[in-house]
Amino acid sequence: MSNLLPRNATKLEKNIEQLGEKISLIRVPFVDLHSIDRCPVLHLPWLAWEHRVEYWQPDWNEQDKRNAIRESESFNAGRGTQSSISSLIGTVVDHYQLKAWYEFNPPQKPFTFVVIVSPQYLLSIEQLLQVHTAIDATKSARDNYSISAKVKTTCDFYLTGSVTSGTKIHLESL
Protein backbone atom coordinates (compact mmCIF):
# COMPACT_ATOMS: atom_id res chain seq x y z
CA MET A 1 0.00 0.00 0.00
CA SER A 2 1.11 3.51 -0.69
CA ASN A 3 0.05 4.95 2.68
CA LEU A 4 -1.73 7.80 0.92
CA LEU A 5 -5.06 6.93 2.49
CA PRO A 6 -5.91 8.06 6.00
CA ARG A 7 -6.22 5.47 8.77
CA ASN A 8 -9.99 5.73 8.75
CA ALA A 9 -10.27 4.85 5.00
CA THR A 10 -13.14 2.57 4.11
CA LYS A 11 -12.67 -0.92 2.76
CA LEU A 12 -13.86 0.28 -0.68
CA GLU A 13 -11.20 3.01 -0.77
CA LYS A 14 -8.50 0.51 0.21
CA ASN A 15 -9.64 -1.90 -2.52
CA ILE A 16 -9.60 0.88 -5.11
CA GLU A 17 -6.08 1.80 -4.06
CA GLN A 18 -4.95 -1.83 -4.42
CA LEU A 19 -6.56 -2.01 -7.84
CA GLY A 20 -4.73 1.16 -8.89
CA GLU A 21 -1.43 -0.36 -7.81
CA LYS A 22 -2.11 -3.49 -9.87
CA ILE A 23 -3.01 -1.42 -12.93
CA SER A 24 0.19 0.61 -12.63
CA LEU A 25 2.19 -2.65 -12.92
CA ILE A 26 0.72 -3.38 -16.36
CA ARG A 27 3.18 -2.44 -19.09
CA VAL A 28 1.43 -0.26 -21.68
CA PRO A 29 3.60 0.78 -24.65
CA PHE A 30 2.06 4.25 -25.11
CA VAL A 31 4.95 5.45 -27.25
CA ASP A 32 4.66 2.38 -29.50
CA LEU A 33 0.91 2.90 -29.91
CA HIS A 34 1.59 6.10 -31.85
CA SER A 35 4.42 4.74 -34.01
CA ILE A 36 3.36 3.33 -37.37
CA ASP A 37 6.22 0.83 -37.43
CA ARG A 38 6.09 -0.32 -33.78
CA CYS A 39 2.34 -0.27 -33.10
CA PRO A 40 0.98 -3.74 -32.24
CA VAL A 41 -1.13 -5.19 -35.05
CA LEU A 42 -4.26 -5.32 -32.89
CA HIS A 43 -4.05 -1.55 -32.34
CA LEU A 44 -3.54 -0.58 -36.00
CA PRO A 45 -7.25 0.22 -36.59
CA TRP A 46 -7.09 2.80 -33.78
CA LEU A 47 -3.90 4.29 -35.18
CA ALA A 48 -5.59 4.45 -38.58
CA TRP A 49 -8.52 6.29 -37.02
CA GLU A 50 -6.11 8.74 -35.39
CA HIS A 51 -4.47 9.41 -38.78
CA ARG A 52 -7.84 9.80 -40.56
CA VAL A 53 -7.51 6.76 -42.80
CA GLU A 54 -10.89 6.85 -44.51
CA TYR A 55 -10.75 3.56 -46.39
CA TRP A 56 -9.80 0.51 -44.34
CA GLN A 57 -10.26 -3.19 -44.93
CA PRO A 58 -9.82 -5.47 -41.89
CA ASP A 59 -8.68 -8.34 -44.10
CA TRP A 60 -5.65 -6.44 -45.45
CA ASN A 61 -2.29 -7.87 -44.45
CA GLU A 62 -0.21 -6.06 -41.83
CA GLN A 63 2.05 -4.29 -44.34
CA ASP A 64 -0.90 -2.90 -46.34
CA LYS A 65 -2.45 -1.56 -43.13
CA ARG A 66 0.78 0.16 -42.12
CA ASN A 67 1.18 1.59 -45.64
CA ALA A 68 -2.37 2.98 -45.57
CA ILE A 69 -1.61 4.77 -42.30
CA ARG A 70 1.74 6.02 -43.61
CA GLU A 71 0.16 7.42 -46.79
CA SER A 72 -2.78 9.04 -45.00
CA GLU A 73 -1.04 12.38 -44.37
CA SER A 74 -0.36 13.10 -48.04
CA PHE A 75 -3.74 11.60 -48.97
CA ASN A 76 -5.61 13.89 -46.57
CA ALA A 77 -3.74 16.91 -47.92
CA GLY A 78 -5.09 16.14 -51.41
CA ARG A 79 -8.54 14.92 -50.35
CA GLY A 80 -11.21 15.46 -52.99
CA THR A 81 -8.76 15.66 -55.88
CA GLN A 82 -8.72 13.34 -58.85
CA SER A 83 -5.43 11.81 -57.71
CA SER A 84 -6.78 10.97 -54.24
CA ILE A 85 -9.85 9.32 -55.75
CA SER A 86 -7.63 7.38 -58.18
CA SER A 87 -5.33 6.19 -55.42
CA LEU A 88 -8.22 4.70 -53.46
CA ILE A 89 -9.94 3.13 -56.46
CA GLY A 90 -6.57 1.59 -57.37
CA THR A 91 -6.64 -0.40 -54.13
CA VAL A 92 -9.72 -2.25 -55.42
CA VAL A 93 -9.59 -2.27 -59.23
CA ASP A 94 -6.61 -2.24 -61.59
CA HIS A 95 -7.94 -1.42 -65.05
CA TYR A 96 -10.11 1.68 -64.89
CA GLN A 97 -10.33 5.24 -66.16
CA LEU A 98 -11.52 8.25 -64.20
CA LYS A 99 -13.21 10.75 -66.52
CA ALA A 100 -14.20 14.20 -65.22
CA TRP A 101 -17.18 16.22 -66.47
CA TYR A 102 -15.07 18.59 -68.58
CA GLU A 103 -13.39 15.69 -70.46
CA PHE A 104 -16.63 14.73 -72.22
CA ASN A 105 -17.70 16.22 -75.54
CA PRO A 106 -20.01 18.04 -74.91
CA PRO A 107 -19.10 18.67 -71.27
CA GLN A 108 -21.34 17.03 -68.71
CA LYS A 109 -22.91 18.62 -65.66
CA PRO A 110 -20.17 20.33 -63.56
CA PHE A 111 -18.66 18.44 -60.62
CA THR A 112 -19.55 15.00 -61.95
CA PHE A 113 -17.26 12.19 -62.97
CA VAL A 114 -17.47 8.64 -64.26
CA VAL A 115 -15.35 5.66 -63.26
CA ILE A 116 -15.05 3.44 -66.32
CA VAL A 117 -13.83 -0.08 -65.61
CA SER A 118 -12.36 -1.79 -68.65
CA PRO A 119 -15.09 -3.95 -70.26
CA GLN A 120 -12.92 -7.07 -70.42
CA TYR A 121 -12.82 -7.20 -66.60
CA LEU A 122 -15.78 -8.36 -64.54
CA LEU A 123 -16.28 -6.98 -61.05
CA SER A 124 -17.94 -8.89 -58.28
CA ILE A 125 -20.69 -7.25 -56.25
CA GLU A 126 -18.21 -6.98 -53.33
CA GLN A 127 -15.67 -5.17 -55.53
CA LEU A 128 -18.35 -2.78 -56.78
CA LEU A 129 -19.33 -1.98 -53.21
CA GLN A 130 -15.66 -1.43 -52.30
CA VAL A 131 -15.28 0.99 -55.23
CA HIS A 132 -18.35 2.92 -54.01
CA THR A 133 -16.94 3.00 -50.47
CA ALA A 134 -13.53 4.17 -51.69
CA ILE A 135 -15.04 6.99 -53.75
CA ASP A 136 -17.41 8.11 -51.01
CA ALA A 137 -14.49 8.22 -48.57
CA THR A 138 -12.55 10.80 -50.58
CA LYS A 139 -14.77 12.71 -52.99
CA SER A 140 -15.87 16.22 -52.11
CA ALA A 141 -19.45 16.71 -50.98
CA ARG A 142 -20.45 18.51 -54.20
CA ASP A 143 -19.24 15.72 -56.51
CA ASN A 144 -21.62 13.23 -58.09
CA TYR A 145 -20.38 10.14 -59.87
CA SER A 146 -21.37 7.04 -61.72
CA ILE A 147 -19.60 3.77 -62.37
CA SER A 148 -19.55 2.03 -65.73
CA ALA A 149 -18.59 -1.61 -65.21
CA LYS A 150 -19.58 -5.15 -65.99
CA VAL A 151 -20.61 -6.90 -62.81
CA LYS A 152 -20.84 -10.63 -62.29
CA THR A 153 -23.00 -12.27 -59.72
CA THR A 154 -24.28 -15.72 -58.98
CA CYS A 155 -27.73 -16.66 -57.92
CA ASP A 156 -30.07 -19.59 -57.84
CA PHE A 157 -32.64 -19.47 -60.59
CA TYR A 158 -35.65 -21.73 -60.47
CA LEU A 159 -37.98 -22.28 -63.39
CA THR A 160 -41.22 -24.02 -62.76
CA GLY A 161 -44.19 -24.74 -64.91
CA SER A 162 -47.28 -26.82 -65.09
CA VAL A 163 -49.27 -28.48 -67.81
CA THR A 164 -52.90 -29.34 -67.70
CA SER A 165 -54.87 -31.25 -70.27
CA GLY A 166 -58.43 -32.25 -70.52
CA THR A 167 -61.63 -31.92 -72.43
CA LYS A 168 -64.08 -29.11 -72.08
CA ILE A 169 -67.70 -30.28 -71.84
CA HIS A 170 -70.70 -27.98 -72.01
CA LEU A 171 -73.99 -29.31 -70.65
CA GLU A 172 -77.23 -27.74 -71.64
CA SER A 173 -80.61 -28.55 -70.29
CA LEU A 174 -83.50 -29.29 -72.74
Side-chain angles (χ1 to χ4, degrees):
M1 284 215 171
S2 65
N3 296 327
L4 292 177
L5 293 175
R7 289 186 191 144
N8 63 347
T10 65
K11 183 174 180 170
L12 175 64
E13 292 170 332
K14 292 176 183 176
N15 288 342
I16 291 173
E17 182 184 34
Q18 286 178 347
L19 183 62
E21 289 175 358
K22 288 179 182 178
I23 289 174
S24 65
L25 296 176
I26 297 174
R27 185 180 167 289
V28 179
F30 287 112
V31 175
D32 290 350
L33 291 177
H34 297 283
S35 169
I36 296 171
D37 295 320
R38 294 188 318 260
C39 182
V41 176
L42 292 175
H43 294 280
L44 285 176
W46 299 108
L47 186 62
W49 173 79
E50 179 184 342
H51 284 262
R52 290 190 62 207
V53 175
E54 292 292 332
Y55 183 67
W56 183 266
Q57 289 294 320
D59 59 340
W60 283 345
N61 64 42
E62 179 183 346
Q63 193 57 42
D64 288 342
K65 291 177 181 180
R66 292 185 192 282
N67 287 339
I69 296 168
R70 203 172 278 112
E71 295 167 0
S72 66
E73 184 176 348
S74 62
F75 174 79
N76 286 325
R79 181 181 293 275
T81 62
Q82 189 170 354
S83 64
S84 68
I85 293 170
S86 290
S87 71
L88 275 188
I89 295 173
T91 63
V92 181
V93 180
D94 289 330
H95 305 280
Y96 70 93
Q97 177 186 8
L98 189 63
K99 200 166 181 182
W101 62 274
Y102 53 83
E103 295 175 316
F104 287 93
N105 191 9
Q108 301 293 315
K109 186 176 177 185
F111 309 115
T112 59
F113 62 91
V114 178
V115 176
I116 303 167
V117 178
S118 183
Q120 65 242 32
Y121 295 98
L122 292 175
L123 296 182
S124 66
I125 295 293
E126 292 78 22
Q127 286 176 311
L128 182 64
L129 291 174
Q130 288 176 357
V131 170
H132 274 288
T133 303
I135 294 171
D136 289 338
T138 187
K139 74 174 189 68
S140 67
R142 69 180 179 197
D143 288 341
N144 290 310
Y145 67 93
S146 61
I147 299 173
S148 173
K150 288 185 177 180
V151 179
K152 66 178 174 182
T153 186
T154 57
C155 67
D156 294 327
F157 184 74
Y158 298 100
L159 180 65
T160 59
S162 66
V163 175
T164 58
S165 66
T167 306
K168 195 173 191 181
I169 300 174
H170 290 286
L171 297 174
E172 293 183 22
S173 62
L174 295 172

